[in-house]
Short mmCIF file of all heavy atoms in Angstrom, two decimals:
data_model
loop_
_atom_site.label_atom_id
_atom_site.label_comp_id
_atom_site.label_asym_id
_atom_site.label_seq_id
_atom_site.Cartn_x
_atom_site.Cartn_y
_atom_site.Cartn_z
N ARG A 216 -13.37 -4.67 -9.58
CA ARG A 216 -14.17 -5.44 -8.63
C ARG A 216 -13.57 -6.81 -8.32
O ARG A 216 -14.19 -7.62 -7.63
CB ARG A 216 -15.59 -5.60 -9.17
CG ARG A 216 -16.27 -4.28 -9.48
CD ARG A 216 -17.70 -4.47 -9.88
NE ARG A 216 -18.58 -3.95 -8.85
CZ ARG A 216 -19.91 -3.98 -8.91
NH1 ARG A 216 -20.49 -4.53 -9.94
NH2 ARG A 216 -20.64 -3.49 -7.95
N VAL A 217 -12.40 -7.08 -8.84
CA VAL A 217 -11.77 -8.38 -8.59
C VAL A 217 -11.22 -8.40 -7.16
O VAL A 217 -10.45 -7.51 -6.78
CB VAL A 217 -10.64 -8.65 -9.59
CG1 VAL A 217 -9.93 -9.96 -9.26
CG2 VAL A 217 -11.19 -8.68 -11.02
N PRO A 218 -11.56 -9.38 -6.35
CA PRO A 218 -11.00 -9.44 -4.99
C PRO A 218 -9.48 -9.60 -5.03
O PRO A 218 -8.95 -10.40 -5.80
CB PRO A 218 -11.66 -10.69 -4.39
CG PRO A 218 -12.85 -10.97 -5.25
CD PRO A 218 -12.49 -10.48 -6.62
N ILE A 219 -8.80 -8.83 -4.18
CA ILE A 219 -7.34 -8.89 -4.08
C ILE A 219 -6.97 -9.31 -2.66
O ILE A 219 -7.40 -8.69 -1.69
CB ILE A 219 -6.70 -7.54 -4.42
CG1 ILE A 219 -6.97 -7.17 -5.89
CG2 ILE A 219 -5.19 -7.57 -4.14
CD1 ILE A 219 -6.51 -5.76 -6.25
N ILE A 220 -6.18 -10.37 -2.56
CA ILE A 220 -5.65 -10.81 -1.27
C ILE A 220 -4.15 -10.57 -1.27
O ILE A 220 -3.43 -11.14 -2.11
CB ILE A 220 -5.94 -12.30 -1.00
CG1 ILE A 220 -7.44 -12.55 -0.93
CG2 ILE A 220 -5.26 -12.75 0.30
CD1 ILE A 220 -7.81 -14.02 -0.72
N PHE A 221 -3.66 -9.73 -0.37
CA PHE A 221 -2.22 -9.57 -0.24
C PHE A 221 -1.66 -10.80 0.46
O PHE A 221 -2.15 -11.23 1.51
CB PHE A 221 -1.88 -8.32 0.57
CG PHE A 221 -1.97 -7.04 -0.23
CD1 PHE A 221 -2.96 -6.11 0.03
CD2 PHE A 221 -1.07 -6.79 -1.25
CE1 PHE A 221 -3.04 -4.95 -0.70
CE2 PHE A 221 -1.14 -5.62 -2.00
CZ PHE A 221 -2.13 -4.70 -1.73
N LEU A 222 -0.63 -11.37 -0.14
CA LEU A 222 0.04 -12.56 0.41
C LEU A 222 1.52 -12.20 0.50
O LEU A 222 2.23 -12.19 -0.50
CB LEU A 222 -0.17 -13.76 -0.51
CG LEU A 222 0.40 -15.10 -0.07
CD1 LEU A 222 -0.26 -15.56 1.23
CD2 LEU A 222 0.24 -16.14 -1.15
N THR A 223 1.98 -11.86 1.70
CA THR A 223 3.27 -11.19 1.81
C THR A 223 3.97 -11.48 3.12
O THR A 223 3.35 -11.93 4.10
CB THR A 223 3.05 -9.67 1.66
OG1 THR A 223 4.27 -8.96 1.88
CG2 THR A 223 2.02 -9.18 2.67
N SER A 224 5.25 -11.20 3.16
CA SER A 224 6.01 -11.30 4.40
C SER A 224 6.06 -9.96 5.13
O SER A 224 6.67 -9.85 6.19
CB SER A 224 7.45 -11.76 4.09
OG SER A 224 8.07 -10.88 3.17
N SER A 225 5.42 -8.93 4.57
CA SER A 225 5.40 -7.60 5.19
C SER A 225 4.40 -7.60 6.33
O SER A 225 3.19 -7.47 6.11
CB SER A 225 5.02 -6.54 4.15
OG SER A 225 5.89 -6.59 3.04
N ALA A 226 4.91 -7.72 7.55
CA ALA A 226 4.03 -7.93 8.69
C ALA A 226 3.74 -6.68 9.50
O ALA A 226 2.94 -6.72 10.44
CB ALA A 226 4.65 -8.98 9.62
N ALA A 227 4.35 -5.54 9.17
CA ALA A 227 4.15 -4.33 9.96
C ALA A 227 2.68 -3.91 9.95
O ALA A 227 2.00 -4.03 8.93
CB ALA A 227 5.01 -3.20 9.40
N VAL A 228 2.20 -3.44 11.09
CA VAL A 228 0.80 -3.03 11.20
C VAL A 228 0.48 -1.96 10.17
O VAL A 228 -0.58 -1.98 9.54
CB VAL A 228 0.51 -2.52 12.63
CG1 VAL A 228 -0.89 -1.93 12.70
CG2 VAL A 228 0.66 -3.65 13.64
N GLU A 229 1.41 -1.00 9.99
CA GLU A 229 1.16 0.09 9.05
C GLU A 229 0.95 -0.44 7.64
O GLU A 229 0.09 0.06 6.89
CB GLU A 229 2.33 1.08 9.06
CG GLU A 229 2.53 1.82 10.37
CD GLU A 229 3.27 0.99 11.42
OE1 GLU A 229 3.70 -0.14 11.09
OE2 GLU A 229 3.39 1.46 12.56
N GLU A 230 1.71 -1.47 7.26
CA GLU A 230 1.56 -2.03 5.92
C GLU A 230 0.26 -2.81 5.79
O GLU A 230 -0.41 -2.75 4.74
CB GLU A 230 2.76 -2.93 5.60
CG GLU A 230 4.04 -2.15 5.40
CD GLU A 230 5.24 -3.04 5.12
OE1 GLU A 230 5.50 -3.94 5.94
OE2 GLU A 230 5.88 -2.85 4.08
N ARG A 231 -0.12 -3.52 6.83
CA ARG A 231 -1.39 -4.25 6.78
C ARG A 231 -2.55 -3.27 6.64
O ARG A 231 -3.47 -3.50 5.85
CB ARG A 231 -1.56 -5.11 8.03
CG ARG A 231 -0.55 -6.25 8.15
CD ARG A 231 -1.06 -7.37 9.02
NE ARG A 231 -1.38 -6.96 10.38
CZ ARG A 231 -0.50 -6.95 11.39
NH1 ARG A 231 0.74 -7.33 11.18
NH2 ARG A 231 -0.86 -6.58 12.59
N LEU A 232 -2.50 -2.20 7.40
CA LEU A 232 -3.58 -1.21 7.32
C LEU A 232 -3.61 -0.53 5.96
O LEU A 232 -4.69 -0.28 5.40
CB LEU A 232 -3.40 -0.16 8.43
CG LEU A 232 -3.64 -0.64 9.86
CD1 LEU A 232 -3.30 0.46 10.86
CD2 LEU A 232 -5.08 -1.10 10.04
N GLU A 233 -2.43 -0.23 5.40
CA GLU A 233 -2.40 0.39 4.08
C GLU A 233 -2.98 -0.56 3.04
O GLU A 233 -3.78 -0.15 2.18
CB GLU A 233 -0.98 0.79 3.69
CG GLU A 233 -0.93 1.48 2.33
CD GLU A 233 0.44 2.03 1.98
OE1 GLU A 233 1.38 1.85 2.77
OE2 GLU A 233 0.55 2.66 0.91
N GLY A 234 -2.60 -1.83 3.10
CA GLY A 234 -3.11 -2.79 2.14
C GLY A 234 -4.63 -2.89 2.18
O GLY A 234 -5.29 -2.89 1.14
N LEU A 235 -5.19 -2.95 3.37
CA LEU A 235 -6.65 -3.03 3.50
C LEU A 235 -7.33 -1.73 3.08
O LEU A 235 -8.41 -1.75 2.48
CB LEU A 235 -7.02 -3.39 4.94
CG LEU A 235 -6.59 -4.79 5.40
CD1 LEU A 235 -6.79 -4.96 6.90
CD2 LEU A 235 -7.36 -5.87 4.65
N SER A 236 -6.69 -0.60 3.37
CA SER A 236 -7.30 0.69 2.99
C SER A 236 -7.33 0.89 1.48
O SER A 236 -8.13 1.68 0.98
CB SER A 236 -6.53 1.84 3.65
OG SER A 236 -5.25 2.01 3.05
N LEU A 237 -6.48 0.19 0.76
CA LEU A 237 -6.44 0.32 -0.69
C LEU A 237 -7.55 -0.48 -1.37
O LEU A 237 -7.73 -0.39 -2.58
CB LEU A 237 -5.08 -0.14 -1.23
CG LEU A 237 -3.89 0.76 -0.89
CD1 LEU A 237 -2.59 0.12 -1.35
CD2 LEU A 237 -4.06 2.13 -1.51
N GLY A 238 -8.28 -1.26 -0.61
CA GLY A 238 -9.40 -2.01 -1.17
C GLY A 238 -9.18 -3.50 -1.30
O GLY A 238 -9.99 -4.19 -1.91
N SER A 239 -8.10 -4.02 -0.72
CA SER A 239 -7.93 -5.48 -0.74
C SER A 239 -8.94 -6.10 0.22
O SER A 239 -9.42 -5.45 1.15
CB SER A 239 -6.50 -5.85 -0.31
OG SER A 239 -6.30 -5.55 1.06
N VAL A 240 -9.27 -7.36 -0.01
CA VAL A 240 -10.26 -8.02 0.84
C VAL A 240 -9.62 -8.79 1.99
O VAL A 240 -10.29 -9.19 2.94
CB VAL A 240 -11.14 -8.99 0.02
CG1 VAL A 240 -11.95 -8.24 -1.01
CG2 VAL A 240 -10.31 -10.09 -0.64
N ASP A 241 -8.29 -8.99 1.92
CA ASP A 241 -7.62 -9.76 2.97
C ASP A 241 -6.12 -9.49 2.90
O ASP A 241 -5.61 -9.01 1.88
CB ASP A 241 -7.88 -11.26 2.79
CG ASP A 241 -7.95 -12.01 4.12
OD1 ASP A 241 -7.40 -11.50 5.12
OD2 ASP A 241 -8.56 -13.09 4.14
N TYR A 242 -5.43 -9.78 3.99
CA TYR A 242 -3.98 -9.56 4.09
C TYR A 242 -3.41 -10.76 4.84
O TYR A 242 -3.64 -10.90 6.04
CB TYR A 242 -3.70 -8.26 4.83
CG TYR A 242 -2.28 -7.73 4.69
CD1 TYR A 242 -1.99 -6.68 3.83
CD2 TYR A 242 -1.24 -8.28 5.44
CE1 TYR A 242 -0.71 -6.17 3.71
CE2 TYR A 242 0.05 -7.79 5.32
CZ TYR A 242 0.31 -6.73 4.46
OH TYR A 242 1.59 -6.23 4.33
N VAL A 243 -2.72 -11.63 4.12
CA VAL A 243 -2.25 -12.90 4.69
C VAL A 243 -0.73 -12.92 4.68
O VAL A 243 -0.10 -12.59 3.68
CB VAL A 243 -2.79 -14.09 3.87
CG1 VAL A 243 -2.32 -15.40 4.47
CG2 VAL A 243 -4.31 -14.04 3.79
N LEU A 244 -0.14 -13.31 5.80
CA LEU A 244 1.31 -13.38 5.89
C LEU A 244 1.83 -14.69 5.31
O LEU A 244 1.24 -15.75 5.53
CB LEU A 244 1.76 -13.24 7.35
CG LEU A 244 1.49 -11.90 8.02
CD1 LEU A 244 2.01 -11.92 9.45
CD2 LEU A 244 2.13 -10.76 7.24
N LYS A 245 2.94 -14.60 4.57
CA LYS A 245 3.57 -15.82 4.07
C LYS A 245 4.00 -16.67 5.26
O LYS A 245 4.44 -16.16 6.29
CB LYS A 245 4.78 -15.47 3.20
CG LYS A 245 4.41 -14.85 1.86
CD LYS A 245 5.63 -14.54 1.02
CE LYS A 245 5.25 -13.99 -0.33
NZ LYS A 245 6.42 -13.64 -1.17
N GLY A 246 3.91 -17.96 5.09
CA GLY A 246 4.16 -18.87 6.19
C GLY A 246 2.86 -19.39 6.78
O GLY A 246 2.86 -20.37 7.54
N CYS A 247 1.77 -18.72 6.42
CA CYS A 247 0.45 -19.19 6.85
C CYS A 247 0.18 -20.55 6.22
O CYS A 247 0.60 -20.83 5.10
CB CYS A 247 -0.60 -18.17 6.41
SG CYS A 247 -2.28 -18.59 6.87
N ASP A 248 -0.52 -21.43 6.92
CA ASP A 248 -0.82 -22.76 6.40
C ASP A 248 -1.57 -22.66 5.07
O ASP A 248 -2.56 -21.92 4.97
CB ASP A 248 -1.68 -23.52 7.41
CG ASP A 248 -1.87 -24.97 7.01
OD1 ASP A 248 -2.74 -25.23 6.15
OD2 ASP A 248 -1.15 -25.83 7.53
N PRO A 249 -1.14 -23.36 4.03
CA PRO A 249 -1.80 -23.28 2.72
C PRO A 249 -3.30 -23.56 2.78
O PRO A 249 -4.08 -22.98 2.03
CB PRO A 249 -1.06 -24.34 1.89
CG PRO A 249 0.29 -24.40 2.50
CD PRO A 249 0.08 -24.20 3.96
N GLN A 250 -3.72 -24.45 3.68
CA GLN A 250 -5.14 -24.78 3.77
C GLN A 250 -5.94 -23.58 4.29
O GLN A 250 -7.10 -23.39 3.91
CB GLN A 250 -5.35 -25.99 4.67
CG GLN A 250 -4.81 -27.29 4.10
CD GLN A 250 -5.45 -27.66 2.78
OE1 GLN A 250 -6.64 -27.43 2.56
NE2 GLN A 250 -4.67 -28.27 1.88
N GLU A 251 -5.32 -22.78 5.16
CA GLU A 251 -6.01 -21.58 5.64
C GLU A 251 -6.16 -20.57 4.50
O GLU A 251 -7.21 -19.94 4.34
CB GLU A 251 -5.25 -20.94 6.81
CG GLU A 251 -5.94 -19.67 7.31
CD GLU A 251 -5.22 -19.01 8.47
OE1 GLU A 251 -4.40 -19.70 9.13
OE2 GLU A 251 -5.47 -17.82 8.72
N VAL A 252 -5.08 -20.41 3.71
CA VAL A 252 -5.15 -19.50 2.56
C VAL A 252 -6.23 -19.98 1.60
O VAL A 252 -7.02 -19.19 1.06
CB VAL A 252 -3.79 -19.41 1.83
CG1 VAL A 252 -3.90 -18.46 0.65
CG2 VAL A 252 -2.70 -18.95 2.80
N LEU A 253 -6.29 -21.27 1.39
CA LEU A 253 -7.29 -21.86 0.51
C LEU A 253 -8.70 -21.54 1.01
O LEU A 253 -9.59 -21.20 0.23
CB LEU A 253 -7.08 -23.37 0.46
CG LEU A 253 -7.59 -24.12 -0.76
CD1 LEU A 253 -6.89 -23.65 -2.02
CD2 LEU A 253 -7.37 -25.62 -0.57
N ALA A 254 -8.90 -21.66 2.31
CA ALA A 254 -10.21 -21.37 2.89
C ALA A 254 -10.58 -19.89 2.68
O ALA A 254 -11.74 -19.57 2.36
CB ALA A 254 -10.21 -21.71 4.38
#
Side-chain angles (χ1 to χ4, degrees):
R216 304 186 110 180
V217 176
I219 296 173
I220 297 178
F221 281 111
L222 183 63
T223 175
S224 57
S225 304
V228 173
E229 295 80 5
E230 290 179 304
R231 294 203 300 271
L232 291 175
E233 182 173 2
L235 294 170
S236 72
L237 291 174
S239 68
V240 296
D241 213 337
Y242 195 103
V243 181
L244 294 181
K245 289 181 177 178
C247 180
D248 187 279
Q250 292 300 325
E251 179 180 341
V252 180
L253 204 63

